[in-house]
Amino acid sequence: MRFDVLTLFPETFSLVMKESIIGRAQEKGLIEVNAVNIRDYTRDKHRKVDDYPFGGGNGMVMMCQPMFDAYRAVTEGLQTKPKVIYMSPQGRVLTQKVAVELSKEEHLILLCGHYEGIDERIIEELVDEEISIGDYVLTGGELPAMVLIDCVSRLVPGVLSNEGSFSEESHFNGLLEYPQYTRPAEYEGKQVPEILLSGHHANIQKWRSARSLERTRIKRPDLYENHIKSSEGKI
Ligand SMILES: CN(C)c1cccc(CNc2ccc(C(N)=O)cn2)c1
């Protein structure tokens, strides 16, 4: 899976994206993350990428020409047009379900805006979908793009060594994850729940499901409601 990220801060990307799991996945050739500097596609000596908004108002807007040219450079010679996602507060909120959907794509282009956003003609012409990582405003789309790359990449087969774990993972089955423990069995007088040391897998499974339901009901009643509704349909 390939991500081309159009950004004003490409070096930020390469630093974060070559670390840990994503870095290893790149070495294994499972994913590629390519940061493109929008400023490299400016045509003036000041390498201008933004300008004042028509109609007035505070802040600056990212101009068409550098973004269009950067996009054309990235897509030149490609057989199929990759899906273009614009990271914006107005986008569809990124959930695990959306991440699973996006992990099926072969090639994604992510546009990172700055200032007050980008010229609307870029969105009309190039953007397939706007995605938000949550209802808050950041100084740029770079962090949202990194969040998207992280949560989508870990779903690409081979990226995570313990792939089997997806089914119990938080938000994967619509519930929050059960509590996790590891050695030692007792730490400063605090015990690990007996059941987990029993080796009785059926009971452990039951205990974990009960914990997942209980903590979802308490921490995320909205998810709990959805889960109840969706299981009503099933026998
Ligand atoms: C209108 N405006 C301020 C604006 C418009 C577009 C992009 C940006 C760049 N900042 C971002 C980007 C995404 C998110 C998110 N929630 O995913 C939060 N902030 C700001």
Side-chain angles (χ1 to χ4, degrees), residues 8-29:
L8 293 176
F9 302 100
E11 56 293 341
T12 318
F13 261 89
S14 10
L15 273 179
V16 172
M17 291 288 118
K18 74 173 195 296
E19 287 305 311
S20 86
I21 292 183
I22 304 294
R24 263 205 303 283
Q26 290 199 75
E27 280 154 27
K28 287 196 254 178

Side-chain angles (χ1 to χ4, degrees), residues 62 86-94 111-118 123 130-145:
M62 287 179 75
Y86 174 44
M87 307 312 298
S88 125
Q90 290 131 39
R92 173 164 72 132
V93 177
L94 180 64
L111 307 189
C112 301
H114 262 265
Y115 319 110
E116 288 314 302
I118 60 178
I123 299 172
E130 294 184 70
I131 286 195
S132 166
I133 60 167
D135 293 331
Y136 37 84
V137 181
L138 303 166
T139 54
E142 279 75 18
L143 286 172

Side-chain angles (χ1 to χ4, degrees), residues 11-221:
E11 56 293 341
T12 318
F13 261 89
S14 10
L15 273 179
V16 172
M17 291 288 118
K18 74 173 195 296
E19 287 305 311
S20 86
I21 292 183
I22 304 294
R24 263 205 303 283
Q26 290 199 75
E27 280 154 27
K28 287 196 254 178
L30 292 166
I31 58 167
E32 287 171 271
V33 180
N34 171 41
V36 175
N37 190 344
I38 299 165
R39 221 176 270 282
D40 290 349
Y41 295 89
T42 52
R43 296 184 188 164
D44 65 308
K45 64 176 182 304
H46 301 295
R47 293 165 58 88
K48 191 176 171 48
V49 289
D50 64 316
D51 209 332
Y52 297 100
F54 277 119
N58 57 13
M60 304 290 272
V61 174
M62 287 179 75
M63 296 155 64
C64 287
Q65 178 271 315
M67 194 71 97
F68 270 84
D69 287 357
Y71 168 81
R72 286 168 184 149
V74 163
T75 53
E76 198 174 5
L78 293 184
Q79 263 63 40
T80 52
K81 181 187 177 307
K83 191 184 191 70
V84 179
I85 294 175
Y86 174 44
M87 307 312 298
S88 125
Q90 290 131 39
R92 173 164 72 132
V93 177
L94 180 64
T95 60
Q96 193 64 21
K97 188 164 164 288
V98 174
V100 169
E101 197 186 296
L102 294 176
S103 69
K104 313 289 185 227
E105 298 286 339
E106 261 313 298
H107 185 180
L108 290 177
I109 296 180
L110 307 181
L111 307 189
C112 301
H114 262 265
Y115 319 110
E116 288 314 302
I118 60 178
D119 187 296
E120 193 64 17
R121 289 167 287 188
I122 300 170
I123 299 172
E124 282 160 9
E125 201 67 27
L126 303 182
V127 172
D128 296 307
E129 179 170 19
E130 294 184 70
I131 286 195
S132 166
I133 60 167
D135 293 331
Y136 37 84
V137 181
L138 303 166
T139 54
E142 279 75 18
L143 286 172
M146 286 185 233
V147 164
L148 185 146
I149 291 171
D150 190 298
C151 83
V152 171
S153 296
R154 61 189 293 281
L155 298 172
V156 170
V159 171
L160 289 188
S161 43
N162 57 341
E163 278 171 30
S165 68
F166 286 143
S167 47
E168 298 93 49
E169 184 171 78
S170 280
H171 296 286
F172 194 85
N173 57 4
L175 294 175
L176 301 183
E177 198 160 84
Y178 46 78
Q180 297 279 17
Y181 300 86
T182 187
R183 288 179 296 191
E186 172 177 335
Y187 179 72
E188 292 181 350
K190 291 181 276 290
Q191 309 281 340
V192 168
E194 240 353 87
I195 183 86
L196 297 179
L197 311 177
S198 70
H200 199 300
H201 299 291
N203 289 354
I204 290 170
Q205 188 63 42
K206 264 208 287 295
W207 181 85
R208 286 175 162 174
S209 302
R211 296 288 73 72
S212 277
L213 275 167
E214 176 188 64
R215 61 175 31 182
T216 307
R217 186 169 44 76
I218 294 163
K219 290 183 176 180
R220 289 292 302 274

